[in-house]
Every structure is written in structure tokens, then in C-alpha cells.
Amino acid sequence: NYIDIDSFLGHKMNSLSERMFGVEDPLLLLQMSENFLLQRVRSVNAERSYLDEATKMIRQSKGTISIENLSRNLYVSERQLQRMFKDTLGTSPKTYTRIIRFRTAYEYLQQAEKENLSLIDITYNCGYSDQAHFIRDFKEFTGTVPTNVFEKETEFYQLSTINYNEPLMAY
């Protein structure tokens, strides 16, 4: 049985298979295959490198960096960045930034009573445009409003601290 090489390794194999067509020297075929696979590994490592850098930048900005600035700083298109996030993390970079920003706001919220912070302080310190925006995100991620967390603090998860300089994932 024969299997179309495109279905096994994708359309990038077309150029390799065309170059290999008619070559009878097994050592040359092996060398061509190894070079192709090494290039693929290098490109995967480069993609992961900028994904690591992107997640690090998002965490360091505490979710306030725009996707436009992120792609500009990483020298990749917004579309490429979105594709890599979706393929690797299963979500968009925008959603990831919202999660990180919400997590930062939640940490502020846990400290609010100790430091005498109001919801307005938390809203603006975490980069939300207004309090309604903060409350909307809060409801979406927790299913409740921030005041419930103040009133029933022990019923909610407590966050561990984030080291924003560590990579998100280990490869």
C-alpha cells in the first residue's frame, strides 16, 4: 500500500518529494530527508520561542499589552500570533491577555481590604477602561460579582503568586 506523503507530513513535503524524484542514491535521499526534517525542527523551535516570549510579555504587562504591540515587538504578524496561540494553547492571545489581566485584578481584590483599595482602584490599576468592563470580565470568569468575593472570601479560591519572568510552558 502507498500513502500520499501530503497526508502524512503536509503540503510542505511536495517540494521535498519533487527534489527526491528520480534520485537513486539512497545516501543522497537520506541526506535530503534529514536536512528537510532538521529545518522543520528548527522552525518549530523558533515558533515556540516567540510563543514563550509572547506569553512572558503578556504576563509581565499583567495582561495590559495590546495584541498589535505584542506582534510588533515579536516581529510576527497578528494572524501568525493568533494561529500559534490557538494551535498551542487552544485560545487566542486576546483571551490569554484577558485571563492574565483578570488574574491580576483578582490578586488586587484579595488584597483590597488589607490595603484599603476600592473597586475603582483595582479597575484602573489593572488596565480596565471602566468599572463596568472589570465587572463584566469578573462575572465571565467567576460567575459572580466582585462584591461577593469581599463578602464570602473563604468560599473562593486563593491564588498563588505568579513569577512573571518564568516561561509559561516547558518544552
Side-chain angles (χ1 to χ4, degrees), residues 102 105-113 119 122 134-135 138-139 141-159:
F102 168 75
Y106 193 78
E107 287 174 343
Y108 270 102
L109 190 59
Q110 286 182 321
Q111 299 170 6
E113 286 184 12
L119 284 182
I122 295 168
F134 167 63
I135 292 171
F138 200 95
K139 278 178 153 177
F141 290 122
T142 66
T144 189
V145 293
T147 53
N148 285 346
V149 175
F150 277 124
E151 295 167 4
K152 303 171 188 172
E153 188 177 315
T154 58
E155 294 179 24
F156 292 90
Y157 291 108
Q158 301 299 309
L159 296 173

Side-chain angles (χ1 to χ4, degrees), residues 94-117:
K94 181 67 175 171
T95 301
Y96 185 78
T97 58
R98 287 181 60 223
I99 291 168
I100 297 300
R101 182 172 53 184
F102 168 75
R103 183 181 171 117
T104 303
Y106 193 78
E107 287 174 343
Y108 270 102
L109 190 59
Q110 286 182 321
Q111 299 170 6
E113 286 184 12
K114 297 174 204 163
E115 298 179 16
N116 211 16
L117 296 172

Side-chain angles (χ1 to χ4, degrees), residues 13-130:
M13 287 301 297
N14 281 339
S15 64
L16 176 64
S17 60
E18 288 172 3
R19 283 183 282 161
M20 294 175 87
F21 185 76
V23 176
E24 295 182 13
D25 181 5
L27 291 177
L28 183 56
L29 289 170
L30 182 62
Q31 183 180 17
M32 293 169 79
S33 299
E34 285 178 344
N35 288 339
F36 172 80
L37 293 173
L38 281 172
Q39 287 174 344
R40 298 277 297 163
V41 166
R42 286 185 188 119
S43 73
V44 167
N45 286 338
E47 289 172 354
R48 286 185 174 164
S49 174
Y50 80 75
L51 182 67
D52 282 344
E53 192 61 31
T55 57
K56 182 179 176 182
M57 290 171 74
I58 291 168
R59 290 189 324 271
Q60 285 176 335
S61 75
K62 298 183 179 178
T64 60
I65 191 169
S66 71
I67 304 309
E68 181 183 342
N69 284 339
L70 190 62
S71 66
R72 190 179 314 122
N73 288 332
L74 295 171
Y75 303 103
V76 297
S77 71
E78 287 183 43
R79 180 67 188 122
Q80 173 123 5
L81 191 61
Q82 289 172 356
R83 198 174 313 118
M84 180 53 70
F85 264 80
K86 198 73 159 170
D87 291 347
T88 308
L89 300 178
T91 191
S92 70
K94 181 67 175 171
T95 301
Y96 185 78
T97 58
R98 287 181 60 223
I99 291 168
I100 297 300
R101 182 172 53 184
F102 168 75
R103 183 181 171 117
T104 303
Y106 193 78
E107 287 174 343
Y108 270 102
L109 190 59
Q110 286 182 321
Q111 299 170 6
E113 286 184 12
K114 297 174 204 163
E115 298 179 16
N116 211 16
L117 296 172
S118 70
L119 284 182
I120 294 171
D121 294 329
I122 295 168
T123 298
Y124 293 111
N125 286 334
C126 295
Y128 288 96
S129 57
D130 57 26

